[in-house]
Amino acid sequence: MSGVAAEQNLRVSLPSQELADAVELPAGVEVVLWDLTGEPPAPHLDLVVPPYMGKPDALAALAAVSVGLVQSQSIGYDGVAKALPAGCRFANAAGVHETSTAELAVGMMIASQRGLGDFARNQSTGTWDNGLRPSLADRRVLLVGYGGVGKAIEARLLPFETEVTRLASRARDDATGRIYGIESLQEQLPLHDIVVVSVPLGEQTRHLVNGEFLAAMPDGALLVNVARGPVADTDALLRETSTGRLRAALDVTDPEPLPQDHPLWTVPGVLITPHVGGASTAMLPRMARLIRKQIGLLQAGEEPVNVVLGGGDGR
């Protein structure tokens, strides 16, 4: 029976020729290019890959076709459930972006701790400022969110001789020790020099980083947000950083893009990158491998991986 399933022909929609060229397609797969704008290329598509970083509203275009699986190029899927037509299965890109996002998070920590932004600005004026800066070594780091990104960040932090505490939605133990639950957040925040947020955006995490959260962080602490912009209350963050009491390294903001005249841009001690956690050369080959894996599973009549909406979720 599996031999019959393996012979299934599939029609796959990809958003760009670059991605189509990167995917090693097996026999029996027809590729069409569609970025969810304009008329659908066929009445049925077995696999649809939307453009990277597209708005969830674009998924409304799928109502005009029958779709077997929607394969996102992002890990997060906030807002997708409301836009996804009934009957569609939706998979996220878990396994694609964790490495790059963790790499950026650690890079931002090093840049913020060691003052690399200040040194870059000083270079334009020839200013020699070699004062003492905080290290990353020996810092106590709290990971708020312990999914794939949080675990990847931890793996990269430990060789820097940091002391890492893990905190997730529920308390549990693993082979390396305790993972605290969200109920321990206010208790843990004052104990750490650096707090890294990598939780998914949802009703429970929107404005998780609020005035109370920030007030619990010790003076001089660094907040790193590689989650989603609305996880943090921008007004509260601006209040705490503009006084110099806290510092921040933000790959995501609310609103996004951050307006050119927004005061957060010019706050000393705030480092901002434009939501580029996953935007590295590691993305294309990893995304291509995931798509190739999904095609193989669909051809074999097996369940795809990373399905987060549709199927057994009641939709």
Side-chain angles (χ1 to χ4, degrees):
M1 183 169 178
S2 61
V4 175
E7 296 175 359
Q8 291 184 33
N9 293 328
L10 299 181
R11 182 175 286 126
V12 174
S13 166
L14 299 177
S16 69
Q17 187 62 53
E18 181 185 27
L19 187 55
D21 291 342
V23 179
E24 297 179 7
L25 295 169
V29 176
E30 176 192 354
V31 171
V32 295
L33 298 182
W34 187 38
D35 62 2
L36 302 190
T37 63
E39 290 296 316
H44 175 77
L45 297 167
D46 297 286
L47 176 65
V48 174
V49 180
Y52 181 51
M53 298 290 282
K55 299 294 184 184
D57 291 350
L59 296 173
L62 299 176
V65 296
S66 64
V67 177
L69 176 69
V70 181
Q71 173 59 64
S72 173
Q73 297 192 67
S74 298
I75 300 175
Y77 52 98
D78 43 287
V80 169
K82 293 180 179 179
L84 191 68
C88 288
R89 286 185 299 175
F90 184 93
N92 74 349
V96 171
H97 299 291
E98 289 85 346
T99 294
S100 289
T101 302
E103 182 179 87
L104 180 67
V106 174
M108 294 178 84
M109 284 182 241
I110 294 172
S112 295
Q113 292 293 97
R114 300 305 300 270
L116 299 188
D118 292 338
F119 297 146
R121 286 185 288 272
N122 289 344
Q123 188 169 342
S124 65
T125 60
T127 301
W128 190 268
D129 176 14
N130 60 351
L132 189 70
R133 301 280 178 161
S135 65
L136 183 56
D138 303 329
R139 296 308 93 191
R140 298 161 297 173
V141 182
L142 176 64
L143 301 179
V144 180
Y146 196 60
V149 172
K151 291 173 184 176
I153 293 172
E154 178 188 31
R156 286 153 182 79
L157 278 177
L158 292 176
F160 283 95
E161 301 180 27
T162 60
E163 180 183 330
V164 177
T165 301
R166 295 90 54 82
L167 188 146
S169 57
R170 61 179 180 84
R172 58 191 185 274
D173 294 300
D174 66 6
T176 60
R178 187 65 173 165
I179 301 170
Y180 291 90
I182 193 66
E183 68 278 0
S184 299
L185 179 61
Q186 291 301 118
E187 168 190 310
Q188 291 296 325
L189 285 170
L191 308 178
H192 293 84
D193 310 293
I194 301 173
V195 178
V196 186
V197 182
S198 65
V199 297
L201 176 62
E203 290 307 310
Q204 300 301 314
T205 59
R206 186 176 296 274
H207 283 191
L208 173 69
V209 181
N210 56 17
E212 183 182 11
F213 181 114
L214 296 169
M217 293 175 62
D219 291 352
L222 172 68
L223 173 79
V224 181
N225 187 5
V226 290
R228 286 288 188 267
V231 166
D233 180 336
T234 301
D235 290 339
L237 186 58
L238 185 60
R239 283 194 299 271
E240 287 284 7
T241 55
S242 61
T243 65
R245 195 186 79 79
L246 296 180
R247 297 170 296 130
L250 311 171
D251 185 46
V252 290
T253 60
D254 183 25
E256 193 172 293
L258 193 66
Q260 189 175 15
D261 60 351
H262 197 284
L264 201 56
W265 281 115
T266 55
V267 175
V270 174
L271 173 64
I272 299 173
T273 56
H275 202 153
V276 292
S280 79
T281 54
M283 178 185 170
L284 183 61
R286 291 166 191 248
M287 192 65 223
R289 286 197 294 271
L290 176 57
I291 293 170
R292 178 64 180 82
K293 180 176 183 177
Q294 298 288 48
I295 288 172
L297 291 170
L298 292 173
Q299 280 193 316
E302 298 179 9
E303 285 297 307
V305 296
N306 295 353
V307 175
V308 291
L309 294 170
D313 75 339
R315 285 188 62 91

